[in-house]
Amino acid sequence: MTADFLLELRSEEIPARMQAGARADLEKLFRKELTAAGLSAGAVTVWSTPRRLALIARDLPLATEAVSEEVKGPRASAPPQALEGFLRKTGLTREQLTERDGVLFAITEKPGRATSDVLAEAIPAIVRAFPWPKSQRWGARSFSPESLRWVRPLSGIIAILGDVAIDCEVGGVRSGTITRGHRFHHQGDITITGVSDYAAKLRDAHVIVDHAEREAIVRDKARTAAAEAGLVLVDDEGLVVENAGLTEWPQPLLGRFDEAFLEVPPEVIQLTARVNQKYFICRDAEGRLANAFVCTANIAATDGGTAIVAGNRKVLAARLSDARFFWEQDKKVPLAQQAQKLARITFHEKLGTVADKVARVADLAEWLAREGVVPGADPALARQAAELCKADLVTDMVGEFPELQGLMGGYYARAEGLPDAVADAIRDHYKPVGQGDDVPTAPVSVCVALADKLDTVCCFFYKSMAPTGSKDPFALRRYAIGIIAIIHKNNLRLDLRHVVLQTIATFLAGTHSFHETIDHEAYLERRSFFESQHRMPSAEDNDLFEFPSKAEYLAFALCDAGISDAVPALLGFFADRLKVQQREAGVRHDLIDAVFALGGESDLVRLLARVAALQAFVGTEDGTNLLAGYKRAANILKKEGSPNAGAHGEGVSPPTGEEDPLVLVDDPEFRDIAAEFVHGQPGLGYEPEAAEAALMAALDAAVPQVERAVEAEDYTAAMAALASLRAPIDAFFDSVTVNDGDARKRHHRLSLLDQVRAAVHKVADFSRIEG
């Protein structure tokens, strides 16, 4: 037989933000106790109000099953000491043990227990183990560190299985069948008989115990109140949940505030109403902010809520007066003057002040515009916007509402008459801040947003503070995703390695203005020089090179160990973030790996175009069959080994005299000989079979097409050229014996398969593709 179980834990007000977690924790702890006792319930429902947590478990067995516990002991022939130790452990005698195959076992039969007894022990355990984010002790018992802790003082427990009350006690609170209704609308105790009448009796006492029902009431009635006034409620699901968690009998009411406050930016009004007062705001039919709010009362007022609305209006007016004061005062100080205060704020102990960061971002933003990395951006405007982008951090408004950083800077820039491009760039330079956020597209905005994020990521990596495992204290993964999103959205054709070097060069230049472009080739030349000598540069090496510019000097300086470690790590970090982003966008992980495996690609736009073309191709019949042919060729090459003798027989060098036959492939005097080595003609020494000759011809036609298409970044055309190999490869495998007894035939055919693999690898490493 089964019965339904009801548990209510009643206390003083539970913070709304903790209720969802508390519901999950209560169910988890309850199921854990049942499992430990060998019980299982049907459906488990957990509700919450500001004053109670309630759990209903359906179809609980009335008793646990009898169980037989078996403990393996020593062998029957074991020394007496081992047997005596086992008997002490189990509390049995030698005669009570069971022998099987020469091994002794202690078998204990445990009868079933009444579920009511299990629950009487489980409830105190659940209460004492409850993981509240914050909890307290109270009353005289609080002097003991062993006293009960709860989020707010626990005042009552209901525990009923079927129609039988479960007797238990925890922290001086004894369970029973009595609860309380709404704090104002109902006086006196409410006696609950079980699950069947719990919710109904509380509803009669003006308590809606189901949090989801209260959320629906808040949502629907708030919209209705706005609509009746000819307005539209600004949806805010988080505010719906919070208001439902603050009330047991929610009553949304519409109020008005002074229109004069509308001169304050609308985001400020919304944040003031939301954060400080938990109010919804409304817009008019044209989408403009209206001087209206919706508050949620916890009582059904006899005057229709007039007094409640009047009181809330006064409180909101005081908050909005503060906001308007901040707005007016901040506008009196130009952003350039505010920016001077950033020198007093430390960005990071290893990376200087916020003013230092702003100087770096300004240099980098100007460089991105001047070098055409961001097409159409005005370098002067990019620098101006970057120099002011953090100035609002020291304003009163952002001090009160940190969530408005950047946004308020844009408003202040417009208020003092700065160009719209500068104001927009200041406003948007933090974007995107997460999945689904807007990505800047205006050229100046792109420069500043990209420079800000590049500086943060590259500098932390250079100072050996990269994310590790699940730890990312500086949110560098989020910044990297933002950089990738900006590059992808705006189709920016940049060499990421070069941009990373430029960013670190800007950091190494210190706080002095640095307008020069890092000479990438000079950097590579100097690095190769020192790598060839197996050492790092030192001060004595300064005489080896002449440095006509700061950029040249920095190219030398960038050969240090820090950059040698940071640049590869940064490129790998961006590659990993790109893989994550593409997987979340629905791109198969194996296709991403197939393109990344080629290496040497630091143009993200080109890389993503290759991934997109590959995904489209492998979904076609040609793509599927070419993949199968490629894998068959790769497996044969793996088994037999890649050809190393071409058409001239095993171990024989071609008549160029070079051990590597392709070293002189571009030399006019040896081009024909090299071609003969690769293709096996005209000195093939045998007449190729028809399918073999067809594959040779197909490769001669397809490979140049693939190379031209890849060079032109037309990856769809490259895939189409590869698709032309499908039929010749299929025919080759159907009618040609690769592992022929004739060594020349075998090596030539292996060479053909190697050429197939090389042709495919010009687009992607197909060995990484599943299927």
Side-chain angles (χ1 to χ4, degrees):
M1 295 181 62
T2 63
D4 296 337
F5 173 65
L6 167 67
L7 173 66
E8 182 195 76
L9 302 173
R10 181 164 47 85
S11 67
E12 299 305 314
E13 274 68 15
I14 304 170
R17 67 181 183 278
M18 296 185 187
Q19 291 175 27
R23 294 193 298 268
D25 289 334
L26 180 56
E27 180 175 355
K28 179 180 178 181
L29 290 170
F30 180 73
R31 289 189 182 276
K32 179 181 177 182
E33 293 294 330
L34 290 188
T35 301
L39 289 169
S40 62
V44 175
T45 302
V46 184
W47 291 325
S48 64
T49 81
R51 300 178 66 202
R52 69 200 79 222
L53 290 173
L55 178 144
I56 293 175
R58 303 285 182 179
D59 303 322
L60 269 182
L62 295 181
T64 65
E65 297 287 340
V67 294
S68 176
E69 291 187 353
E70 182 177 279
V71 180
K72 183 179 179 180
R75 298 190 64 82
S77 57
Q81 295 88 340
L83 177 60
E84 291 172 3
F86 183 64
L87 294 177
R88 285 195 301 272
K89 175 183 175 182
T90 59
L92 301 178
T93 65
R94 173 65 181 80
E95 292 73 21
Q96 293 175 304
L97 300 182
T98 300
E99 183 177 343
R100 287 201 304 267
D101 300 326
V103 178
L104 299 174
F105 292 86
I107 300 176
T108 305
E109 300 292 338
K110 288 191 173 183
R113 296 180 63 199
T115 299
S116 57
D117 294 338
V118 172
L119 293 172
E121 296 176 0
I123 293 168
I126 290 171
V127 172
R128 291 192 176 278
F130 213 89
W132 291 107
K134 289 185 178 181
S135 59
Q136 66 177 78
R137 298 194 296 265
W138 63 93
R141 294 173 180 264
S142 65
F143 289 102
S144 168
E146 302 301 320
S147 63
L148 175 65
R149 300 187 69 92
W150 199 246
V151 62
R152 297 290 186 269
L154 187 67
S155 55
I157 300 174
I158 290 180
I160 304 173
L161 180 63
D163 56 1
V164 177
I166 305 298
D167 183 41
C168 63
E169 184 268 340
V170 55
V173 180
R174 183 160 294 278
S175 64
T177 60
I178 303 298
T179 189
R180 306 279 293 187
H182 193 282
R183 189 182 295 276
F184 303 113
H185 283 307
H186 187 274
Q187 302 299 319
D189 296 338
I190 303 170
T191 301
I192 305 297
T193 61
V195 170
S196 59
D197 66 352
Y198 176 68
K201 285 188 174 181
L202 281 176
R203 187 182 298 275
D204 292 340
H206 285 77
V207 174
I208 299 173
V209 71
D210 184 349
H211 55 278
E213 183 181 350
R214 295 198 311 278
E215 289 170 9
I217 291 172
V218 172
R219 188 183 300 109
D220 296 341
K221 288 190 174 182
R223 287 174 179 168
T224 300
E228 289 175 349
L231 303 172
V232 178
L233 189 79
V234 175
D235 290 333
D236 189 331
E237 193 59 26
L239 205 51
V240 168
V241 173
E242 187 164 14
N243 275 284
L246 292 169
T247 57
E248 291 191 317
W249 195 254
Q251 301 294 314
L253 302 168
L254 182 118
R256 296 277 186 172
F257 58 84
D258 191 338
E259 285 189 1
F261 289 122
L262 292 177
E263 68 183 42
V264 178
E267 293 86 356
V268 175
I269 295 175
Q270 182 173 3
L271 203 58
T272 299
R274 185 190 195 282
V275 173
N276 296 127
Q277 302 305 127
K278 319 304 179 190
Y279 298 162
F280 297 91
I281 64 167
C282 302
R283 298 190 182 278
D284 60 23
E286 285 74 36
R288 296 170 303 198
L289 185 68
N291 63 322
F293 65 92
V294 175
C295 59
T296 305
N298 192 32
I299 60 174
T302 56
D303 64 352
T306 301
I308 294 174
V309 168
N312 281 275
R313 182 190 299 117
K314 290 180 180 179
V315 175
L316 181 59
R319 294 287 188 179
L320 292 179
S321 294
D322 291 342
R324 183 167 59 183
F325 175 77
F326 294 150
W327 168 245
E328 295 295 341
Q329 291 299 112
D330 288 340
K331 287 192 297 181
K332 295 177 181 179
V333 183
L335 286 178
Q337 185 175 336
Q338 298 278 28
Q340 296 173 8
K341 304 174 187 177
L342 297 175
R344 301 198 296 262
I345 304 174
T346 300
F347 175 64
H348 188 277
E349 60 180 352
K350 295 182 179 181
L351 302 178
T353 66
V354 176
D356 295 332
K357 176 178 175 60
V358 166
R360 298 193 299 268
V361 172
D363 287 340
L364 190 56
E366 183 181 19
W367 177 82
L368 290 169
R370 188 182 66 248
E371 296 299 316
V373 177
V374 180
D378 184 318
L381 293 181
R383 168 168 284 278
Q384 183 182 18
E387 288 175 339
L388 302 177
C389 68
K390 307 291 184 184
D392 65 349
L393 293 177
V394 294
T395 62
D396 291 335
M397 187 71 81
V398 174
E400 180 73 12
F401 298 113
E403 304 94 324
L404 296 179
Q405 58 185 298
L407 180 69
M408 291 311 303
Y411 277 117
Y412 294 137
R414 280 193 175 81
E416 65 178 88
L418 296 180
D420 286 343
V422 171
D424 290 343
I426 295 172
R427 178 194 64 199
D428 295 337
H429 81 279
Y430 290 107
K431 294 182 178 181
V433 294
Q435 291 287 356
D437 192 21
D438 293 336
V439 178
T441 56
V444 175
S445 299
V446 170
C447 286
V448 181
L450 195 57
D452 182 45
K453 294 170 180 59
L454 281 167
D455 176 79
T456 299
V457 174
C458 294
C459 290
F460 275 108
F461 264 79
Y462 181 72
K463 286 297 185 178
S464 302
M465 292 183 283
T468 56
S470 62
K471 296 181 180 179
D472 186 10
F474 307 113
L476 301 187
R477 294 188 178 100
R478 176 166 60 82
Y479 282 116
I481 288 290
I483 291 169
I484 292 168
I486 292 171
I487 293 173
H488 188 205
K489 177 78 172 180
N490 294 280
N491 200 38
L492 300 182
R493 307 310 307 271
L494 53 83
D495 183 330
L496 191 58
R497 178 185 293 274
H498 191 183
V499 171
V500 164
L501 283 170
Q502 185 70 27
T503 303
I504 298 178
T506 304
F507 173 70
L508 292 177
T511 57
H512 301 291
S513 181
F514 179 59
H515 303 285
E516 298 182 76
T517 299
I518 183 71
D519 189 332
H520 192 208
E521 295 302 323
Y523 162 72
L524 293 177
E525 178 184 342
R526 283 150 176 72
R527 181 173 178 180
S528 297
F529 172 82
F530 289 107
E531 285 179 347
S532 68
Q533 297 194 4
H534 306 290
R535 66 185 182 87
M536 299 306 298
S538 63
E540 289 73 20
D541 294 313
N542 289 349
D543 295 336
L544 290 175
F545 302 105
E546 294 182 2
F547 303 114
S549 69
K550 185 179 290 186
E552 287 289 327
Y553 172 75
L554 287 170
F556 174 81
L558 283 172
C559 290
D560 69 19
I563 191 64
S564 297
D565 294 337
V567 172
L570 275 164
L571 295 178
F573 179 65
F574 280 113
D576 289 341
R577 292 302 93 201
L578 185 60
K579 290 178 183 179
V580 171
Q581 184 199 54
Q582 289 295 291
R583 280 197 295 268
E584 291 176 350
V587 179
R588 284 169 42 182
H589 68 89
D590 56 330
L591 303 184
I592 301 171
D593 289 340
V595 173
F596 272 87
L598 297 179
E601 179 63 270
S602 56
D603 184 328
L604 299 185
V605 172
R606 188 164 56 216
L607 191 149
L608 291 175
R610 196 185 294 243
V611 170
L614 180 62
Q615 174 151 302
F617 178 64
V618 296
T620 65
E621 183 181 357
D622 283 343
T624 301
N625 290 332
L626 180 63
L627 176 61
Y630 166 87
K631 294 208 167 185
R632 187 173 177 182
N635 288 335
I636 292 172
L637 289 170
K638 182 178 180 181
K639 181 179 179 181
E640 299 295 335
S642 296
N644 58 8
H648 298 275
E650 185 172 358
V652 179
S653 294
T656 61
E658 290 284 348
E659 184 176 343
D660 181 353
L662 299 183
V663 167
L664 301 176
V665 69
D666 293 323
D667 191 317
E669 297 183 14
F670 294 101
R671 184 179 294 123
D672 293 339
I673 296 175
E676 176 189 340
F677 181 82
V678 174
H679 298 298
Q681 290 181 332
L684 191 59
Y686 70 92
E687 184 67 27
E689 297 181 26
E692 185 176 1
L695 180 56
M696 293 164 61
L699 281 167
D700 286 340
V703 170
Q705 293 178 38
V706 171
E707 291 175 343
R708 286 194 298 269
V710 170
E711 182 67 24
E713 300 181 15
D714 187 351
Y715 299 110
T716 301
M719 300 296 174
L722 287 179
S724 69
L725 295 175
R726 170 206 165 178
I729 291 173
D730 290 345
F732 178 83
F733 282 126
D734 288 342
S735 59
V736 177
T737 301
V738 176
N739 195 18
D740 195 278
D742 187 319
R744 286 181 176 272
K745 292 182 180 181
R746 181 175 68 252
H747 281 279
H748 179 257
R749 290 165 184 173
L750 288 173
S751 177
L752 280 178
L753 297 183
D754 206 22
Q755 291 176 59
V756 169
R757 180 170 62 179
V760 170
H761 280 192
K762 292 180 184 298
V763 176
D765 184 351
F766 274 43
S767 67
R768 304 296 185 99
I769 302 176
E770 298 175 357

